[in-house]
Protein backbone atom coordinates (compact mmCIF):
# COMPACT_ATOMS: atom_id res chain seq x y z
CA UNK A 1 0.00 0.00 0.00
CA UNK A 2 1.17 3.54 -0.66
CA UNK A 3 0.92 6.71 1.38
CA UNK A 4 -1.82 9.16 0.45
CA UNK A 5 -1.24 11.11 -2.75
CA UNK A 6 -0.86 14.44 -0.94
CA UNK A 7 2.29 13.13 0.78
CA UNK A 8 3.99 11.93 -2.40
CA UNK A 9 5.58 15.29 -3.34
CA UNK A 10 8.40 14.84 -0.84
CA UNK A 11 11.93 13.57 -1.44
CA UNK A 12 12.30 10.07 -2.84
CA UNK A 13 13.62 8.73 0.47
CA UNK A 14 10.81 10.29 2.48
CA UNK A 15 8.17 8.81 0.15
CA UNK A 16 9.85 5.39 0.33
CA UNK A 17 9.86 5.58 4.15
CA UNK A 18 6.18 6.56 4.26
CA UNK A 19 5.24 3.78 1.84
CA UNK A 20 7.16 1.18 3.86
CA UNK A 21 5.54 2.36 7.08
CA UNK A 22 2.04 2.39 5.59
CA UNK A 23 2.56 -1.24 4.53
CA UNK A 24 3.22 -2.13 8.18
CA UNK A 25 1.10 0.51 9.89
CA UNK A 26 -0.16 -1.73 12.68
CA UNK A 27 3.13 -3.14 13.92
CA UNK A 28 5.49 -0.37 12.77
CA UNK A 29 9.13 -0.82 11.86
CA UNK A 30 12.50 -0.46 13.53
CA UNK A 31 15.20 1.73 12.02
CA UNK A 32 17.01 -1.41 10.84
CA UNK A 33 13.88 -2.72 9.10
CA UNK A 34 13.32 0.66 7.47
CA UNK A 35 16.90 0.84 6.29
CA UNK A 36 16.56 -2.57 4.63
CA UNK A 37 13.20 -1.68 3.06
CA UNK A 38 14.25 1.73 1.75
CA UNK A 39 17.82 0.76 0.79
CA UNK A 40 19.56 4.06 1.54
CA UNK A 41 22.52 4.85 3.75
CA UNK A 42 21.89 5.55 7.41
CA UNK A 43 22.60 9.29 7.14
CA UNK A 44 20.02 9.76 4.39
CA UNK A 45 17.49 7.70 6.36
CA UNK A 46 18.17 9.70 9.51
CA UNK A 47 17.61 12.97 7.65
CA UNK A 48 14.34 11.69 6.16
CA UNK A 49 13.09 10.44 9.52
CA UNK A 50 13.97 13.72 11.20
CA UNK A 51 12.06 15.73 8.59
CA UNK A 52 9.05 13.42 8.71
CA UNK A 53 8.99 13.60 12.51
CA UNK A 54 9.18 17.42 12.46
CA UNK A 55 6.31 17.53 9.96
CA UNK A 56 4.19 15.22 12.15
CA UNK A 57 3.97 12.44 9.57
CA UNK A 58 5.49 9.66 11.69
CA UNK A 59 5.13 8.56 15.32
CA UNK A 60 8.09 7.19 17.25
CA UNK A 61 7.26 4.80 20.08
CA UNK A 62 9.95 3.74 22.52
CA UNK A 63 9.12 0.70 24.57
CA UNK A 64 11.16 -2.08 26.01
CA UNK A 65 14.31 -2.75 24.07
CA UNK A 66 13.26 -1.41 20.66
CA UNK A 67 12.08 1.85 19.14
CA UNK A 68 9.24 1.43 16.67
CA UNK A 69 8.32 3.95 13.98
CA UNK A 70 4.76 4.14 12.65
CA UNK A 71 3.05 6.40 10.13
CA UNK A 72 0.73 9.07 11.48
CA UNK A 73 -2.95 8.32 10.83
CA UNK A 74 -3.18 11.19 8.32
CA UNK A 75 -0.72 9.43 5.99
CA UNK A 76 -2.59 6.12 5.80
CA UNK A 77 -5.16 5.96 2.97
CA UNK A 78 -8.70 4.98 3.94
CA UNK A 79 -8.97 2.48 1.09
CA UNK A 80 -6.03 0.31 0.06
CA UNK A 81 -4.20 1.68 -2.94
CA UNK A 82 -2.92 -0.51 -5.74
CA UNK A 83 0.79 -0.28 -6.50
CA UNK A 84 -0.07 -0.31 -10.21
CA UNK A 85 -2.52 2.60 -10.08
CA UNK A 86 -2.01 5.42 -12.53
CA UNK A 87 0.92 7.65 -11.71
CA UNK A 88 1.32 11.26 -12.60
CA UNK A 89 4.21 12.06 -14.94
CA UNK A 90 5.98 13.75 -12.02
CA UNK A 91 5.74 10.59 -9.89
CA UNK A 92 6.96 8.48 -12.79
CA UNK A 93 9.97 10.74 -13.34
CA UNK A 94 10.75 10.91 -9.61
CA UNK A 95 10.72 7.09 -9.39
CA UNK A 96 13.13 6.72 -12.30
CA UNK A 97 15.49 9.65 -11.84
CA UNK A 98 16.85 10.43 -8.38
CA UNK A 99 16.87 14.14 -7.71
Amino acid sequence: MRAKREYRDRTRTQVAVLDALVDRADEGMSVFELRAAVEVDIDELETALSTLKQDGLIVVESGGSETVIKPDEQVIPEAPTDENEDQTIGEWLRDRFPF
Side-chain angles (χ1 to χ4, degrees):
M1 189 170 13
R2 295 169 40 164
K4 286 183 179 176
R5 181 174 291 274
E6 57 261 34
Y7 301 107
R8 304 199 67 74
D9 64 345
R10 306 180 79 76
T11 67
R12 194 174 109 187
T13 302
Q14 290 175 22
V15 171
V17 167
L18 290 175
D19 285 347
L21 290 173
V22 166
D23 277 341
R24 298 203 21 212
D26 292 333
E27 63 268 11
M29 298 177 84
S30 70
V31 173
F32 298 114
E33 292 170 321
L34 268 174
R35 186 170 181 210
V38 177
E39 297 179 1
V40 295
D41 66 52
I42 193 70
D43 293 330
E44 189 173 345
L45 180 61
E46 183 180 323
T47 301
L49 289 172
S50 175
T51 302
L52 292 170
K53 176 71 174 150
Q54 286 177 340
D55 293 346
L57 300 178
I58 61 172
V59 177
V60 180
E61 298 177 355
S62 297
S65 62
E66 188 172 65
T67 299
V68 176
I69 303 165
K70 295 181 177 182
D72 189 77
E73 292 294 323
Q74 65 184 332
V75 177
I76 303 170
E78 293 174 17
T81 57
D82 184 10
E83 192 66 33
N84 295 325
E85 74 180 30
D86 293 334
Q87 289 183 317
T88 66
I89 188 70
E91 290 172 336
W92 182 85
L93 288 170
R94 191 174 22 254
D95 288 345
R96 275 131 188 103
F97 303 103
F99 296 106

